[in-house]
Amino acid sequence: MQYHVNGELVSAEDATVSVEDRGFKYGDAAFETLRAYGGDPFEWQAHRDRLQRTAETLGFGDAVPDDLRERVGETLAENDLSEAYVRLSVTRGVQPGKLTPAGDVSPSVVVIVKELPRGGTEGESVWDGPADVQTVKTRRIPSEALPADAKTHNYLNGILARIELRRAATEEYRAEECLMRDAAGNVVEGATSNLFLVTEAGLKTPSEDLDLLPGVTRSVVIDLAREEEFPVETGEYSVSDVRDADEAFLTNSTWEIRPIGRVDGIDVGTGPMTKLLQRLFDERVENEHY
Amino acid sequence: MQYHVNGELVSAEDATVSVEDRGFKYGDAAFETLRAYGGDPFEWQAHRDRLQRTAETLGFGDAVPDDLRERVGETLAENDLSEAYVRLSVTRGVQPGKLTPAGDVSPSVVVIVKELPRGGTEGESVWDGPADVQTVKTRRIPSEALPADAKTHNYLNGILARIELRRAATEEYRAEECLMRDAAGNVVEGATSNLFLVTEAGLKTPSEDLDLLPGVTRSVVIDLAREEEFPVETGEYSVSDVRDADEAFLTNSTWEIRPIGRVDGIDVGTGPMTKLLQRLFDERVENEHY
């Protein structure tokens, strides 16, 4: 496998950053994960825009290279991949001094790819079945401490939440994703996914005003629902609201739309609305990429 | 300069980690910064213990190598350094899969050193004078989201606080350290330092029950004060308490004990207690290391 590091294609074994890179020392970096379908990044502009916003939040907006899409394209082509997972990182690079960043940024820019066959209307999903989820004690970091809408290399909050799942796992119940709450107790998202509920009143998803990372897939799903004139409400929901939903599902670039099986051991499951949205999503991918 | 990476001494230019190392991708790593005086790490056991605790919090306590002190010693010797800044990192390494960590850890272990002449009873401090500090909007991450007593590669919270200082700087006032508050408004610490106040009632420092990283130097200062039978109180303090203190100072491994000049532009300054503690600290270093 070949990766793209600072403008060059290098073998995966040689794809490294300095131990003095701030992306390594402090997680001082912006990143995106996305999928390529038919050789082309899905929702490129949305991912590019979010990467730019994250870099601006961190104070190095100018460091995001203009030719990022070309670098992704070169990396896919070099590896002969059309269906792929792509991870992009832009770090603040190596700087003199310690924690306080210098204004002058020589970023590290990294593109990693992996083969990831698509699901789609005819194919298989990357997941085996609905995800069981579990409420965890670890709370989402409030935006007053670290803006939730910035996607950075500071990901320990989600890692600690996932470790809770592993520690709590039994033979009967092994949750794959967590339900994370904010300090006030509102359910906000999973460690790497956004949450949707289906109720009689329509589709519901935690509001962007809460401490969550509004995913690109979340936004596509909201668009698809609105195009079909299904009501979509964004607001504040509790764990009980999730348990009581008629259907519930998770979204992210890799899973696309993945039904929730059980919440803290209680069946929620999939249903016609989830299936319809999956179908609409697959059609959108099909129409745009093949 | 030679650094120590995964058991080998390598030149600084060749000191790298994989772009797939979780320490890079997610800041999934424990670290320590410390000083060597006379070729020997200061308060080695305290730093070693905290590194171990951080690794245990992150679920990879077994990954911290037994011979870490030897690796530090080899790195100092190879570079002919006796007075030095040392940074140690232990990461969760490269693992298959994505965010959820695997149990099997092949860590990356990195030792970085820089020359750092000591101050001491005869020498010069690494800082030029008292630090001006400024209250920032960025709040400390609550421990329910990320345990404050774990020292990890997730350091953006402090970086954003430092960026606030840079953005607020004027010709008249250019603060070097921030006063960070928790969600409730208690002053907890700086981005990379602990805070002490001197009042008529004695020495005061924010309690370890708050969301702060209890520094090794903080602990040494508390010991020194208690040995002299100066009262030391740990509790909850506001920004006004800092402004109203007779003296105030910051502690960390690099600065040791650094007086605060102004708080949000208001003079606080140094005084006899700060000077006495600096003297006691220098004597302790002198007695233990030379």
Side-chain angles (χ1 to χ4, degrees):
Chain A
M1 196 67 72
Q2 300 272 304
Y3 296 159
H4 215 290
V5 181
N6 296 332
E8 305 283 341
L9 286 161
V10 293
S11 70
E13 306 85 68
D14 295 330
T16 60
V17 289
S18 166
V19 296
E20 297 188 86
D21 192 288
R22 293 177 60 101
F24 176 67
K25 281 164 69 179
Y26 305 124
D28 190 3
F31 84 102
E32 286 293 316
T33 56
L34 50 95
R35 282 181 80 150
Y37 298 117
D40 229 22
F42 181 62
E43 291 289 317
W44 172 257
Q45 199 55 47
H47 286 287
R48 178 70 175 76
D49 289 348
R50 186 170 63 185
L51 187 71
Q52 184 64 40
R53 284 197 306 274
T54 299
E56 281 165 13
T57 297
L58 302 186
F60 57 88
D62 293 343
V64 182
D66 291 334
D67 66 344
L68 209 45
R69 186 170 188 159
E70 288 71 27
R71 296 188 195 200
V72 172
E74 282 169 35
T75 317
L76 292 169
E78 180 73 15
N79 292 289
D80 223 356
L81 285 176
S82 58
E83 315 306 315
Y85 160 90
V86 179
R87 191 185 203 272
L88 301 173
S89 294
V90 179
T91 85
R92 207 187 308 262
V94 177
Q95 294 191 331
K98 301 217 179 75
L99 194 70
T100 303
D104 201 21
V105 177
S106 174
S108 296
V109 181
V110 176
V111 182
I112 292 176
V113 296
K114 309 266 175 223
E115 186 169 19
L116 186 64
R118 81 177 274 256
T121 45
E122 304 300 321
E124 297 279 313
S125 292
V126 297
W127 33 269
D128 293 329
D132 286 341
V133 304
Q134 188 166 318
T135 312
V136 291
K137 274 190 259 179
T138 301
R139 301 296 174 112
R140 259 303 180 217
I141 297 174
S143 286
E144 63 179 16
L146 197 55
D149 60 357
K151 192 170 174 89
T152 75
H153 282 210
N154 275 213
Y155 236 85
L156 279 173
N157 178 236
I159 290 172
L160 291 174
R162 286 283 178 85
I163 288 174
E164 274 192 63
L165 295 186
R166 191 171 70 192
R167 290 184 176 153
T170 62
E171 282 198 24
E172 289 73 38
Y173 201 69
R174 187 175 299 272
E176 282 182 79
E177 179 58 302
C178 11
L179 280 191
M180 297 188 74
R181 291 167 293 168
D182 63 15
N186 301 301
V187 173
V188 284
E189 57 185 334
T192 63
S193 57
N194 290 118
L195 171 72
F196 283 85
L197 312 181
V198 180
T199 72
E200 278 187 17
L203 214 52
K204 298 183 176 181
T205 190
S207 164
E208 297 192 19
D209 295 337
L210 298 171
D211 296 324
L212 59 85
L213 183 76
V216 171
T217 311
R218 173 183 178 277
S219 158
V220 170
V221 167
I222 291 173
D223 284 352
L224 290 171
R226 290 195 169 140
E227 280 166 20
E228 298 293 321
E229 298 184 358
F230 300 141
V232 182
E233 175 194 283
T234 62
E236 298 183 358
Y237 309 105
S238 66
V239 174
S240 307
D241 291 328
V242 187
R243 290 178 187 160
D244 294 344
D246 295 332
E247 308 171 29
F249 59 87
L250 301 170
T251 60
N252 68 29
S253 291
T254 308
W255 285 343
E256 302 168 334
I257 297 174
R258 183 174 184 185
I260 290 180
R262 290 174 291 176
V263 176
D264 301 330
I266 294 158
D267 274 320
V268 174
T270 187
M273 177 65 98
T274 307
K275 286 181 181 144
L276 178 58
L277 287 165
Q278 288 174 314
R279 171 61 54 134
L280 293 168
F281 186 91
D282 289 346
E283 284 172 8
R284 174 142 171 196
V285 171
E286 190 74 35
N287 292 340
E288 288 183 4
H289 289 264
Y290 300 94
Chain B
M1 196 68 74
Q2 299 273 305
Y3 296 158
H4 215 290
V5 181
N6 296 333
E8 305 283 342
L9 286 160
V10 292
S11 70
E13 305 85 69
D14 295 331
T16 59
V17 289
S18 167
V19 297
E20 298 189 86
D21 192 289
R22 293 177 60 101
F24 176 67
K25 280 164 67 179
Y26 305 124
D28 191 4
F31 85 102
E32 285 293 317
T33 56
L34 50 96
R35 280 180 81 148
Y37 298 117
D40 229 22
F42 182 63
E43 291 289 318
W44 172 257
Q45 199 55 47
H47 286 287
R48 178 69 175 75
D49 289 349
R50 187 171 60 185
L51 187 71
Q52 183 65 41
R53 284 198 305 275
T54 299
E56 281 165 14
T57 298
L58 303 186
F60 56 88
D62 293 344
V64 182
D66 292 334
D67 66 345
L68 209 45
R69 184 169 189 158
E70 289 70 28
R71 296 189 195 199
V72 172
E74 282 170 36
T75 316
L76 292 169
E78 180 73 16
N79 293 289
D80 223 356
L81 285 177
S82 58
E83 315 306 316
Y85 160 91
V86 180
R87 190 185 204 271
L88 301 173
S89 294
V90 180
T91 85
R92 208 187 307 263
V94 177
Q95 294 192 330
K98 302 218 179 76
L99 194 69
T100 303
D104 201 22
V105 178
S106 174
S108 296
V109 181
V110 177
V111 182
I112 292 176
V113 296
K114 307 266 175 223
E115 185 168 20
L116 186 62
R118 83 176 273 256
T121 45
E122 305 300 321
E124 297 279 314
S125 294
V126 297
W127 33 269
D128 294 327
D132 286 341
V133 303
Q134 187 165 319
T135 313
V136 291
K137 275 190 259 178
T138 301
R139 301 295 175 113
R140 259 304 180 216
I141 297 174
S143 286
E144 63 179 14
L146 197 55
D149 60 356
K151 194 171 173 87
T152 75
H153 282 210
N154 275 212
Y155 236 84
L156 279 174
N157 178 236
I159 290 171
L160 292 174
R162 286 283 178 84
I163 288 174
E164 275 192 62
L165 295 187
R166 192 172 68 193
R167 290 185 175 153
T170 62
E171 282 198 24
E172 289 73 40
Y173 200 69
R174 187 175 298 274
E176 283 182 78
E177 179 59 301
C178 11
L179 280 191
M180 297 189 73
R181 292 167 294 168
D182 62 14
N186 301 301
V187 173
V188 285
E189 58 184 334
T192 64
S193 57
N194 289 118
L195 170 72
F196 283 85
L197 312 181
V198 180
T199 72
E200 276 188 17
L203 214 53
K204 297 183 177 181
T205 190
S207 165
E208 298 191 21
D209 296 337
L210 298 172
D211 295 324
L212 59 84
L213 184 76
V216 171
T217 311
R218 172 182 179 278
S219 157
V220 170
V221 167
I222 291 173
D223 284 352
L224 290 170
R226 290 195 169 140
E227 280 166 19
E228 299 292 321
E229 298 184 356
F230 299 141
V232 182
E233 176 194 282
T234 62
E236 297 182 359
Y237 309 105
S238 66
V239 174
S240 307
D241 291 328
V242 188
R243 290 179 188 162
D244 295 345
D246 295 332
E247 308 170 29
F249 60 86
L250 302 169
T251 60
N252 68 29
S253 291
T254 308
W255 285 343
E256 302 168 336
I257 297 174
R258 182 174 185 183
I260 290 180
R262 290 174 291 175
V263 176
D264 301 331
I266 294 158
D267 275 319
V268 175
T270 186
M273 178 63 98
T274 306
K275 286 182 181 143
L276 178 58
L277 288 165
Q278 287 173 316
R279 170 62 53 135
L280 293 168
F281 186 92
D282 289 346
E283 285 173 6
R284 175 141 171 200
V285 172
E286 191 75 34
N287 293 339
E288 289 183 3
H289 289 263
Y290 300 93

